[in-house]
Structures are given as C-alpha cells and as structure tokens.
Amino acid sequence: DAEVVLVGRSNVGKSTLMRELTGHDVSTGSKPGVTRQPNHFDWAAQDFMFTDLPGFGFMSGVEDERREQIQTEIVRYLEEYADRILAGVLVLDGKSAVEIIDRHADRGEVPHDVEMFHFLREVGIEPIVAVNKMDKVDDADERLNEICDRLGLYPPWQQWREETVAPIRAKRGSIEPLLECLRTRFREEKRDDLLGFV
Ligand code: GDP
C-alpha cells in the first residue's frame, strides 16, 4: 500500500489540487467543516492513493470544539497510516500563509501550519510544502523564502525545490513543481512503479 496525503487549512485549495492530481472532482461540499472523512482517491487494481484530509484551522461557522475534533482526527489518521504514507503534502495559501503564521506566533501560539510540518516529520512522513495561489503573489522568491524561514528550512527556497518546496497554481492547472517533488520522493523510496501516477 502506498499513499500520498494532502493536509492544510481550509480554503487553501486542497480540493482544487486533488482534482488536478487525480482528474476527479472529489470535493464533498462547499460548506467549511463538512469534509468529515478522509477523501480517498485510488486507482482500481493499484495500491496507490491520494487522500485529502479535512481542512484545519479557522473556519467561519465552525465551533472550536468541532475544530479540535477535526485536528485530532487528522493527527490520528497520520499516526495510524504513517507507514504507508510516502509523502505528506502540506498545502499553503501563498497569499496569506506568512501573515497567518506570524499573527499566531506573535500571540505566543504555535501556528497550525508550522505544527503540522513538524508533526509530519515526527511521525516519519516526509513533508512536501505545496505553496498554492502563487498567481496572487507579487514577489514569489521573497514569499517562498519567508515560508522556508517560518518552517525552519534554510533559505534560499531554491535549494528545497527538488524535494520539499513546490510553488503551484492549482486553479490554473499548474502543479508541475509538486509533481517533481513527488517523483523525487518516489525515487528515494525505490517506488519507481508509482511514477506513472504523477
Ligand atoms: P479547500 O478548502 O482547501 O479544499 O479549497 P478549495 O479547493 O475549495 O479552494 C478554495 C478557493 O481557492 C476556491 O475559490 C478556489 O477556486 C481557490 N483557488 C484554488 N487554487 C487556487 C489558485 O491556484 N489560485 C487562486 N487564485 N485561487 C485558487
């Protein structure tokens, strides 16, 4: 069994990305917080799948308690299936990620995205950071360096581009940098049989 999971705050574009990766519309609804179950997409007769986990972080109209529950479910899922998960794609909104991270850090909290990045590593899942909505970012290099800095990845971002940091525009179908990171990952895991999926 092999799996690639997508994690990220709600509204970062995970469903859009999932659609690009699989060619299927897997979104379960437009209301935030409705994606209760992991959203699997697998290929018949193949042991590989992409999984879209519920969005975490603030969602208007979703209570704190429900949010915590979602967070717990995500963590449990990642712990349980860590062995078969070849990559954890942390999807960020390039336009707003740094601002949100800094706001939380200023309040003395650990920002969700930063926490998730480190958590993935802790459970042995190699994180790939897909920085989405790059079409809304003016200075791409500067923004990507800031994101690296916040995640503890030594800038410049270019040195992470092959395996860890992928600027994308899911809505425009531009996800090649992410596919490149996934290919690198599969090769590292000696899973060349999976290259056909990306
Ligand atoms: P999810 O909640 O993470 O599943 O996010 P969605 O896939 O539903 O996307 C949230 C919003 O972001 C939608 O309005 C998308 O059209 C938009 N979106 C997704 N990808 C991009 C992108 O690359 N650029 C821009 N500008 N918007 C995007």
Side-chain angles (χ1 to χ4, degrees), residues 92 94 97-98 129 131 143-152:
L92 302 182
V98 172
V129 184
V131 188
R143 180 56 48 84
L144 294 165
N145 282 337
E146 287 171 340
I147 287 170
C148 281
D149 172 74
R150 302 311 188 268
L151 295 174

Side-chain angles (χ1 to χ4, degrees), residues 156-170:
W157 78 272
Q158 284 89 347
Q159 63 183 340
W160 301 100
R161 82 192 317 167
E162 242 170 82
E163 43 191 343
T164 313
V165 177
I168 60 169
R169 294 167 294 169

Side-chain angles (χ1 to χ4, degrees), residues 38-149:
N39 227 328
H40 298 291
F41 183 80
D42 57 339
W43 277 262
Q46 297 284 347
D47 63 351
F48 175 70
M49 65 182 169
F50 283 107
T51 302
D52 181 15
L53 292 175
F56 57 76
F58 175 79
M59 289 166 270
S60 65
V62 179
E63 288 172 18
D64 281 0
E65 201 181 317
R66 175 73 198 124
R67 238 159 62 202
E68 303 240 320
Q69 198 183 329
I70 292 172
Q71 187 78 14
T72 306
E73 282 166 15
I74 295 171
V75 163
R76 281 213 192 109
Y77 186 90
L78 295 172
E79 280 172 345
E80 185 170 354
Y81 299 109
D83 285 349
R84 72 175 190 209
I85 299 174
L86 296 180
V89 180
L90 173 62
V91 186
L92 302 182
D93 177 339
K95 179 80 181 166
S96 62
V98 172
E99 196 188 311
I100 294 172
I101 288 171
D102 288 353
R103 196 196 309 146
H104 286 272
D106 287 347
R107 285 194 214 135
E109 301 161 6
V110 181
H112 285 310
D113 290 320
V114 177
E115 188 174 38
M116 185 54 71
F117 181 82
H118 294 297
F119 177 76
L120 287 169
R121 280 189 164 170
E122 246 167 65
V123 294
I125 299 171
E126 208 52 51
I128 294 174
V129 184
V131 188
N132 192 29
K133 308 196 188 184
M134 286 304 289
D135 51 293
K136 290 166 100 183
V137 174
D138 292 331
D139 191 333
D141 288 337
E142 187 187 18
R143 180 56 48 84
L144 294 165
N145 282 337
E146 287 171 340
I147 287 170
C148 281
D149 172 74

